Amino acid sequence: MVDEFQDDRLTYHRNEQNIGGRDLVAAWNHAMEFATGEWCVLASDDDVYHPDYLQEMVALTEKYPQVDLVHCRNANIDAEGRITDVGHGRAEFETGIQMLYSSSVLRCQQRMADLMFRKSAYDKFGIPQYPLAWYSDHALAVKYAWENGAACSPRVLFMFRNSGINLSSPHPDLVATKIAAGLQFRSWVDDLFKTARPDNADDMMLLPLILPGVSSQVFGLIRSVLSSLPCRAFFDAINQSEMPEAWKLQLKHERRLSWFNVRRYLPRWAGYRL
């Protein structure tokens, strides 16, 4: 496929082993070893880009020459390519604080593969390392935008494929690792905000809302990954995690309540198991 273009700017490198299957961040770092341009995109093989993606991203870098990161509105597609939902739009320019508010409080979709970033920013900050690369793309976007902001296209130029086999899909065996990643990200945001110095009124208004928003987002994702577990595994995973005690109590209460609600409507003669 690369040869069909007959373009010296395109090069093809094949890994001897599947690095991404073992460590996604290591795969991203390995790919960046071949990057020679000013701007980079860590594209995924099963996602879909609009034909105008690159043109729009370059236009944003020219309009906002101070930024190290540009991106676009997202949509989700299933394994067959059908659109399942479209993410929220966001401002064309956001400060780092505003970007974190949009993604963590407003829950605007954001993926590693829709980001285009300066190679110099990567050389300075690298890629945050979290278990299973969960939150790595989120932390990268915030870190690269923290000083100079980020620009975003309001058009849907990137579609993320939920194929059922990617790490975003439910995997009961990965629950403990995903919980650990979420807690690490929450701690990182907490440390980041200790050095936050808002320089405009909008950022000052948003600042006190973000930490609770990040906690709510992480808690919601933890609740989501736990929902696939049967009762015994569910309680074991909670007890073995380092979640705040208040989170553990709430999750246990919700699970017991949902079980009793189901039990309430079961016929008396129906058999059931925990």
Side-chain angles (χ1 to χ4, degrees):
M1 292 177 66
V2 174
D3 289 341
E4 289 176 2
F5 287 95
Q6 296 182 355
D7 191 325
D8 292 338
R9 295 173 300 175
L10 298 177
T11 59
Y12 174 70
H13 305 272
R14 182 181 179 88
N15 297 334
E16 294 182 3
Q17 297 180 336
N18 181 356
I19 302 174
R22 183 181 70 253
D23 186 339
L24 190 52
V25 174
W28 290 334
N29 284 324
H30 181 63
M32 289 300 297
E33 294 176 7
F34 302 100
T36 58
E38 181 183 3
W39 291 89
C40 306
V41 178
L42 288 166
S44 301
D45 60 342
D46 61 345
D47 298 326
V48 178
Y49 292 84
H50 191 281
D52 294 342
Y53 170 83
L54 188 57
Q55 180 178 338
E56 291 264 348
M57 294 300 99
V58 171
L60 285 173
T61 67
E62 295 172 346
K63 185 174 181 179
Y64 300 96
Q66 78 277 20
V67 304
D68 294 323
L69 180 80
V70 294
H71 61 122
C72 64
R73 191 177 183 184
N74 285 199
N76 287 337
I77 56 177
D78 61 18
E80 285 72 41
R82 296 183 294 258
I83 295 177
T84 56
D85 66 85
V86 177
H88 298 294
R90 47 208 298 183
E92 186 175 85
F93 176 82
E94 293 179 318
T95 65
I97 290 175
Q98 292 164 9
M99 188 176 197
L100 187 53
Y101 178 82
S102 294
S103 54
S104 295
V105 180
L106 301 182
R107 311 294 175 88
C108 296
Q109 294 180 8
Q110 184 177 286
R111 313 284 187 179
M112 174 65 90
D114 90 277
L115 307 174
M116 191 171 90
F117 53 88
R118 287 188 195 271
K119 176 67 160 52
S120 58
Y122 169 81
D123 293 337
K124 182 179 180 179
F125 299 116
I127 299 177
Q129 178 80 52
Y130 290 96
L132 301 176
W134 255 46
Y135 296 95
S136 289
D137 52 349
H138 195 32
L140 178 146
V142 172
K143 189 66 175 177
Y144 289 17
W146 196 247
E147 294 181 2
N148 300 315
C152 180
S153 170
R155 296 179 59 192
V156 177
L157 301 173
F158 173 79
M159 292 185 286
F160 177 81
R161 189 183 304 275
N162 284 306
S163 61
I165 60 174
N166 44 27
L167 291 176
S168 300
S169 304
H171 290 276
D173 295 341
L174 303 179
V175 167
T177 309
K178 290 181 176 181
I179 291 176
L183 295 177
Q184 288 179 30
F185 175 74
R186 178 173 174 261
S187 177
W188 176 78
V189 172
D190 190 33
D191 292 338
L192 182 68
F193 268 61
K194 292 176 182 177
T195 62
R197 299 291 184 271
D199 59 1
N200 62 71
D202 288 344
D203 283 0
M204 292 182 66
M205 284 191 299
L206 297 178
L207 196 63
L209 304 176
I210 291 179
L211 286 177
V214 170
S215 294
S216 176
Q217 180 195 47
V218 172
F219 179 77
L221 287 172
I222 288 176
R223 178 198 281 134
S224 176
V225 299
L226 286 170
S227 65
S228 62
L229 298 179
C231 274
R232 188 180 298 277
F234 173 88
F235 285 102
D236 287 345
I238 290 178
N239 292 331
Q240 295 167 11
S241 76
E242 297 182 0
M243 283 187 289
E245 287 301 318
W247 289 17
K248 293 182 179 181
L249 291 174
Q250 182 173 342
L251 288 167
K252 290 177 180 179
H253 173 72
E254 291 176 355
R255 186 62 175 245
R256 292 191 182 101
L257 188 62
S258 65
W259 186 86
F260 281 119
N261 283 339
V262 171
R263 175 70 183 89
R264 178 181 178 185
Y265 294 103
L266 285 174
R268 292 181 178 274
W269 45 265
Y272 61 91
R273 295 176 59 188
L274 279 175

